[in-house]
Amino acid sequence: MSIWRWIKKLHRNPKTSKPDANTQTQSSIQPISSHLEKAIQEITTDLGNSPDIIVRRFILGKEKGVSAALIYTDGLVSNGDINDFLKTLFTQYPSGQISLSPINFIKEQLLNIGDVKIAQDKTQIINEILRGSTAILIDRENKTLIASTKGWENRGVTEPDNQVILRGPREGFTENIRTNTALIRRKIPSSKLRLEQMRLGTITETSIAIMYIQGNANPEIVEEVRRRLIKIKIDGVLESGYIEEFIQDAPWSLFPTVYNTERPDIVAAQLLEGKIAILVDGTPFVLIVPVTIPMLFQAADDYYMRSAIASLLRLLRIVTFLISMTLPSLYVAVTTFHHELLPTTMLISLAAQREGVPLPAFIEALLMELTFEVLREAGLRMPRAVGQAVSIVGALVLGTAAVEADIVSAAMVIIVSMTAIAGFTTPVVDIAIAARIIRFGLLILSASFGLFGILFGLMVIVIHLVGLRSFGIPYLNGIAPFNLSDQKDIFARVPWFMLLTRPRLFSQANEVREDTEMPKPPKGHQRMNRKEDQS
């Protein structure tokens, strides 16, 4: 049996596919005890008698008081809400007889908090306590009040570090999913914006949200997103990368079929285009599907600048991406096999530089590329205060020392430096990493077959991209299959008054974006200009 068949068989028949008895027992309903002390003991025992689980016992009413208790997780609740609860229950609960049951009276007439519900299942009560809610238990009541008192420490809304722009909003997502949905709703205050929520992870039960605009998004793609998320069976989801690997169309491809961003304005713009956003609690990175390759070269400020400037910058990114992927292999192919392509003066200069270098051009390029990758990774993992300095100083020192020691030529240092700088212009990290990996494959082909090897490698990449799909949408949508109306926002961007339609395959139900005429100067100004010319 081949390795590939063994991997597919293991994926189809995982060892954890059959639920055990404990899972089945936990999924069944377990009613809470009506005896207060017994109910407290059941909850605290299931939580391992953890010291951060706080139990606050008190008496409701002065005459014929009823025993009650608050149970919450220290650090996950707002202490101000807890103090308000106790003050309200102590001072406003009546001493005499009441027409309602204590639990209904507290819910309907005492608690002034927004989210209050009644729960009876012990598992549900424990889960709510662990998520920052407070459980209010009352003696001789087989139900429990669950009040939302979430109040843990949150990181504020700050500017994203990875997707920096010159012009546009400076706010980024946080690790709180409710803050993230609010940032998107602030951008799109429309009743058509839909939000669907679910939980994934048998242990973590992480909150997952799907957002789309009804009428803009393709209903078939929305249903496919739901289907792929429901199929995920895992014990924990700690970051959106977990979800990305489960729902992507081509898990072995170097090119991303799921887009991730930490900018609310990018998510809002993609929702208006007819795409779907997937938010995961605990991470500032939001997933967007489907993805096409033109999206990977679009920056947020392309749509905030004038169209001519934005188009030139986008073309520059595409060209530098190709340079970062092919420049070292082109240098190796030309200097090894195709000397006739170089001018005589340049050929003599390169030959003089390589006179004392003992290594072939391929080994020289491979050594320099690996050295730069090590420096890049070291600068990324080291503390921020010294990481950038180490990477810059290390590159300068190693490059200069390698040239003086005749290990590599000066031209190779220039080629590798240009390649690295060109790779930093790509606005999406995933596509830049794909170019870095492809670069080594093209280096091997160029050292073996010259320019013919590079052309063969590029043909394989193009064939792979043509066959790639993201939730049923072609990866080269607008280019292959070719669509003339979509060319307005692929290699360049036309002015906003000409972007009349959305991409055809994303939003089939509502393709028209706007109906605006080209701006013209007022007629009064034209008459005034004529009079001035005549005078």
Side-chain angles (χ1 to χ4, degrees):
M1 182 183 295
S2 64
I3 297 177
W4 175 246
R5 290 182 180 177
W6 179 79
I7 293 175
K8 292 177 68 176
K9 183 178 179 181
L10 184 63
H11 178 69
R12 291 173 183 168
N13 302 304
K15 295 180 180 179
T16 60
S17 59
K18 295 182 180 180
D20 55 12
N22 294 331
T23 305
Q24 294 177 354
T25 303
Q26 291 177 359
S27 62
S28 61
I29 297 177
Q30 302 180 27
I32 193 72
S33 175
S34 59
H35 190 271
L36 178 62
E37 291 300 328
K38 186 177 180 181
I40 294 175
Q41 184 179 4
E42 289 178 357
I43 293 175
T44 54
T45 302
D46 287 350
L47 292 172
N49 296 314
S50 182
D52 61 343
I53 304 299
I54 308 301
V55 180
R56 175 67 166 86
R57 295 174 175 83
F58 57 95
I59 302 296
L60 290 172
K62 297 179 181 179
E63 299 179 4
K64 298 181 181 179
V66 180
S67 299
L70 297 181
I71 303 180
Y72 57 91
T73 305
D74 190 19
L76 297 183
V77 299
S78 171
N79 291 327
D81 290 342
I82 299 297
N83 294 332
D84 291 342
F85 281 173
L86 293 173
K87 182 178 180 181
T88 302
L89 294 174
F90 284 160
T91 59
Q92 299 184 19
Y93 192 86
S95 300
Q97 295 292 331
I98 56 176
S99 58
L100 298 174
S101 64
I103 193 168
N104 289 325
F105 181 82
I106 293 173
K107 178 186 177 183
E108 297 176 9
Q109 299 189 26
L110 291 187
L111 292 185
N112 56 359
I113 197 167
D115 187 8
V116 181
K117 56 188 175 182
I118 296 177
Q120 191 174 5
D121 182 18
K122 185 176 67 173
T123 303
Q124 179 186 359
I125 296 170
I126 292 175
N127 289 337
E128 293 293 341
I129 292 173
L130 294 175
R131 293 191 184 101
S133 297
T134 298
I136 305 176
L137 283 72
I138 301 174
D139 195 20
R140 296 190 297 275
E141 289 280 353
N142 59 353
K143 298 178 181 179
T144 303
L145 275 178
I146 302 295
S148 179
T149 55
K150 300 178 178 66
W152 55 75
E153 295 294 329
N154 291 322
R155 182 173 63 91
V157 178
T158 58
E159 184 177 0
D161 294 329
N162 295 328
Q163 294 176 313
V164 182
I165 60 174
L166 298 177
R167 179 179 178 179
R170 304 294 178 179
E171 57 189 8
F173 288 121
T174 68
E175 286 75 15
N176 191 338
I177 189 173
R178 194 55 61 224
T179 302
N180 296 341
T181 57
L183 288 172
I184 297 175
R185 284 199 178 275
R186 182 185 173 192
K187 300 285 185 184
I188 310 177
S190 172
S191 60
K192 296 182 179 180
L193 181 61
R194 295 291 182 262
L195 172 63
E196 301 177 8
Q197 198 153 339
M198 64 180 69
R199 294 192 182 275
L200 292 180
T202 56
I203 296 178
T204 61
E205 294 191 359
T206 307
S207 295
I208 310 293
I210 305 172
M211 297 190 77
Y212 60 94
I213 297 179
Q214 189 177 25
N216 287 18
N218 190 332
E220 296 181 359
I221 300 178
V222 175
E223 183 60 32
E224 178 66 16
V225 172
R226 291 196 201 101
R227 187 186 66 83
R228 295 190 186 186
L229 290 175
I230 292 173
K231 287 177 60 179
I232 297 176
K233 305 298 179 184
I234 191 173
D235 58 351
V237 176
L238 303 179
E239 214 274 337
S240 57
Y242 287 55
I243 305 297
E244 181 177 352
E245 290 199 18
F246 277 105
I247 66 175
Q248 60 187 348
D249 288 65
W252 305 108
S253 175
L254 296 178
F255 294 89
T257 54
V258 177
Y259 185 90
N260 67 82
T261 179
E262 51 182 338
R263 297 191 60 87
D265 55 335
I266 292 181
V267 175
Q270 297 301 331
L271 290 176
L272 292 171
E273 293 288 323
K275 299 183 178 67
I276 299 102
I278 303 172
L279 295 84
V280 180
D281 192 21
T283 176
F285 290 92
V286 174
L287 306 180
I288 299 175
V289 293
V291 177
T292 58
I293 201 165
M295 284 178 56
L296 305 177
F297 297 99
Q298 297 171 358
D301 45 2
D302 284 356
Y303 302 91
Y304 308 142
M305 298 180 177
R306 288 180 292 142
S307 60
I309 299 174
S311 300
L312 289 174
L313 293 177
R314 186 178 298 177
L315 289 172
L316 177 65
R317 293 188 208 107
I318 296 173
V319 171
T320 52
F321 170 76
L322 296 175
I323 289 175
S324 68
M325 188 169 58
T326 60
L327 186 59
S329 56
L330 287 173
Y331 176 81
V332 171
V334 170
T335 56
T336 306
F337 296 100
H338 309 283
H339 304 98
E340 66 277 3
L341 297 178
L342 295 176
T344 305
T345 306
M346 180 180 293
L347 184 61
I348 294 173
S349 175
L350 292 176
Q353 293 179 26
R354 292 190 48 81
E355 184 177 0
V357 177
L359 302 175
F362 168 67
I363 302 298
E364 185 183 359
L366 189 63
L367 180 64
M368 288 299 298
E369 286 290 343
L370 290 174
T371 302
F372 187 81
E373 292 296 332
V374 170
L375 288 172
R376 188 205 306 261
E377 190 68 16
L380 181 65
R381 303 302 170 190
M382 290 186 68
R384 186 171 299 181
V386 297
Q388 187 175 4
V390 168
S391 59
I392 295 175
V393 173
L396 291 174
V397 172
L398 289 177
T400 305
V403 172
E404 292 180 354
D406 288 335
I407 299 176
V408 296
S409 61
M412 181 58 71
V413 174
I414 296 174
I415 292 295
V416 173
S417 301
M418 290 179 59
T419 303
I421 295 172
F424 290 133
T425 61
T426 308
V428 179
V429 177
D430 291 340
I431 192 69
I433 295 175
R436 286 159 56 185
I437 299 174
I438 292 172
R439 189 187 307 155
F440 288 97
L442 293 179
L443 263 178
I444 297 174
L445 290 174
S446 65
S448 303
F449 307 104
L451 292 177
F452 301 102
I454 298 176
L455 291 176
F456 174 76
L458 294 177
M459 287 176 58
V460 171
I461 294 172
V462 171
I463 292 172
H464 171 68
L465 293 178
V466 169
L468 205 57
R469 296 287 187 273
S470 176
F471 286 80
I473 302 298
Y475 203 60
L476 297 179
N477 180 41
I479 304 173
F482 181 80
N483 186 8
L484 183 60
S485 63
D486 289 348
Q487 303 305 310
K488 300 176 182 179
D489 193 22
I490 293 184
F491 299 105
R493 182 182 75 80
V494 298
W496 271 111
F497 55 81
M498 297 179 65
L499 287 172
L500 304 179
T501 58
R502 296 183 177 87
R504 181 173 56 87
L505 293 182
F506 292 127
S507 184
Q508 298 178 354
N510 186 16
E511 292 188 23
V512 179
R513 177 189 281 115
E514 57 179 297
D515 187 10
T516 307
E517 295 182 357
M518 181 177 178
K520 298 179 181 179
K523 294 182 179 180
H525 286 279
Q526 294 178 358
R527 296 195 192 100
M528 189 179 298
N529 292 335
R530 291 172 186 168
K531 291 180 180 180
E532 291 178 355
D533 293 340
Q534 292 175 1
S535 62

